[in-house]
Amino acid sequence: MRTRSWLLASLTAQIALVPAWTQAREGAPASPNGGRPEIHNVEEMRKVGGYSASGARAYADMAAEAGGPLWPVTLYYRCQAVRERRPLKAPAPRPIEVFDKVYSIGTAENNIWAIDTKDGIILLDALTTEADARDVIVANMKALGLDPKRIRIILITHNHLDHFGGASYLKALSGARIGMSREDWEGDPKWGKLPVKSGNDFFLTDGQQIGLGERTLTVLMTPGHTPGTVSLLFPVTDKGVPHMASLFGGQGSPRDLASLLEFRRSLNHFADYTDLMQADVVLSNHTVGDDGLTRVTALANRKAGDPNPYVVDREGVVRYDAEWRMCLSADIDEAVSRAAPGALLPTLQSAKP
């Protein structure tokens, strides 16, 4: 069994491929993660977390203990009483094959994943506009030798414009079917106009299996970021070695208590499946969610015998989940502490089980 010391040594070796990694701690513009700040430990969390409630501080400490050494970018992004959003300073990453026939083809902010099969390509999300779809997704696919007209399925993780905006163009180009949850497809996207659902499009549901060629993806309903956010698990191989990838579909935490509680329940639901399916890979639809900019840079510099920087082993997935759950719990405790004791019980009692 691989130990934590092995995992940390492995990740250290991967990041050593990227000399600017340590600069990211101060948010240096030259760092491969685009100058994103990081939290690495409890001491740093207490300096920048900003939580005032004692319970919230305890949760935030546990988040730092669980994930700080492995997930410092996501820890800073998720675990602050008052969110600080700094503009990203990174250029778009180069399109690259991350796993065998699984490709990263997105922007500096948004990961877009193309999964090639013998019967066509599955695309995960579609960026913001037709221009994005044409100039980023299609251009990156062609750069990798992938034919965008072979896209057969487009899975939309949630109804925010930066995830669905290019879907109509890509569908017109390829004839692909679009899959999205009913809750988000029939809901209010707030920005942009959702694709019109046609006869061959379909709703995504909890536990659904999406198959194409030799690939099968498991869909999970994980509301909280939006009412119909979906997450995915699917097997991948790295130079023929099997792994299980996990992708949680909504990154940013909501601010209202009901959605925070729902988000935490969704994360528990997702963790059930990452445990049962023994996920050892974390992917994201935003580069802040899997430190994708740093990992793509490390992957581009990977030498024979080096580990794949996206393979974080079971411990990496467990710590990722624990960090996130503790950050959500810190936000919940902070919100409740500002109200009279028991005043927010109706929020919990009226929530779905």
Side-chain angles (χ1 to χ4, degrees):
M1 179 179 292
R2 292 169 173 175
T3 64
R4 182 165 187 251
S5 60
W6 177 92
L7 179 60
L8 287 170
S10 174
L11 292 180
T12 300
Q14 294 165 22
I15 300 310
L17 300 171
V18 188
W21 166 266
T22 54
Q23 300 173 9
R25 196 165 186 160
E26 288 75 40
S31 66
N33 75 5
R36 285 177 169 137
E38 303 175 354
I39 296 175
H40 297 78
N41 51 50
V42 171
E43 181 182 6
E44 291 177 9
M45 174 61 74
R46 290 179 178 175
K47 288 179 180 178
V48 301
Y51 293 102
S52 58
S54 60
R57 290 197 301 269
Y59 276 129
D61 283 356
M62 288 189 285
E65 291 167 351
L70 302 180
W71 299 105
V73 171
T74 62
L75 182 59
Y76 185 94
Y77 176 74
R78 293 179 179 134
C79 227
Q80 292 182 68
V82 178
R83 297 288 187 269
E84 181 183 357
R85 296 288 183 255
R86 299 185 184 182
L88 194 62
K89 304 170 185 177
R94 55 172 285 190
I96 193 168
E97 186 174 13
V98 175
F99 291 98
D100 300 336
K101 295 188 176 183
V102 177
Y103 304 86
S104 169
I105 55 171
T107 67
E109 288 275 9
N110 287 66
N111 286 327
I112 301 294
W113 299 97
I115 304 171
D116 195 11
T117 82
K118 63 183 179 63
D119 292 334
I121 294 169
I122 302 169
L123 198 67
L124 308 186
D125 283 345
L127 291 180
T128 308
T129 65
E130 177 179 322
D132 288 337
R134 181 185 63 246
D135 300 338
V136 178
I137 294 176
V138 170
N140 284 344
M141 290 181 72
K142 289 181 177 178
L144 292 167
L146 299 173
D147 182 358
K149 292 183 179 180
R150 292 185 64 246
I151 300 172
R152 295 292 174 264
I153 298 174
I154 303 169
L155 300 181
I156 305 298
T157 56
H158 60 279
N159 69 357
H160 286 168
L161 182 59
D162 56 333
H163 298 270
F164 72 76
S168 295
Y169 168 81
L170 293 166
K171 178 179 176 67
L173 175 68
S174 64
R177 304 168 64 207
I178 298 175
M180 192 177 191
S181 72
R182 180 187 293 273
E183 291 82 354
D184 271 14
W185 214 331
E186 296 181 349
D188 178 11
K190 296 184 180 179
W191 300 281
K193 185 177 180 180
L194 287 164
V196 175
K197 185 174 181 292
S198 63
N200 68 341
D201 297 326
F202 58 101
F203 291 124
L204 300 177
T205 58
D206 193 57
Q208 184 179 11
Q209 301 283 301
I210 305 294
L212 185 68
E214 67 279 16
R215 301 275 186 176
T216 301
L217 291 79
T218 300
V219 178
L220 296 174
M221 292 297 300
T222 51
H225 184 66
T226 67
T229 296
V230 299
S231 298
L232 301 162
L233 288 105
F234 52 97
V236 296
T237 59
D238 179 48
K239 301 184 185 305
V241 178
H243 298 281
M244 180 60 67
S246 60
L247 187 154
F248 197 90
Q251 291 298 309
S253 297
R255 303 310 294 168
D256 66 284
L257 182 60
S259 295
L260 283 167
L261 290 166
E262 185 173 52
F263 204 139
R264 187 167 64 178
R265 288 192 296 272
S266 292
L267 199 61
N268 289 337
H269 181 48
F270 192 64
D272 288 344
Y273 278 78
T274 60
D275 287 349
L276 291 170
M277 298 177 73
Q278 290 289 282
D280 61 351
V281 170
V282 170
L283 303 179
S284 175
N285 50 9
H286 280 288
T287 58
V288 75
D290 58 8
D291 199 6
L293 295 178
T294 301
R295 283 182 161 78
V296 162
T297 303
L299 194 64
N301 294 322
R302 185 185 185 190
K303 297 179 176 60
D306 288 338
N308 186 316
Y310 280 92
V311 177
V312 296
D313 209 58
R314 283 290 299 139
E315 181 175 346
V317 173
V318 170
R319 289 184 176 276
Y320 182 86
D321 168 75
E323 174 191 284
W324 202 344
R325 183 181 289 101
M326 293 303 103
C327 287
L328 287 169
S329 298
D331 287 344
I332 291 166
D333 195 85
E334 186 79 4
V336 173
S337 74
R338 296 172 183 171
L344 298 177
L345 279 177
T347 299
L348 180 60
Q349 292 166 347
S350 64
K352 295 179 181 180

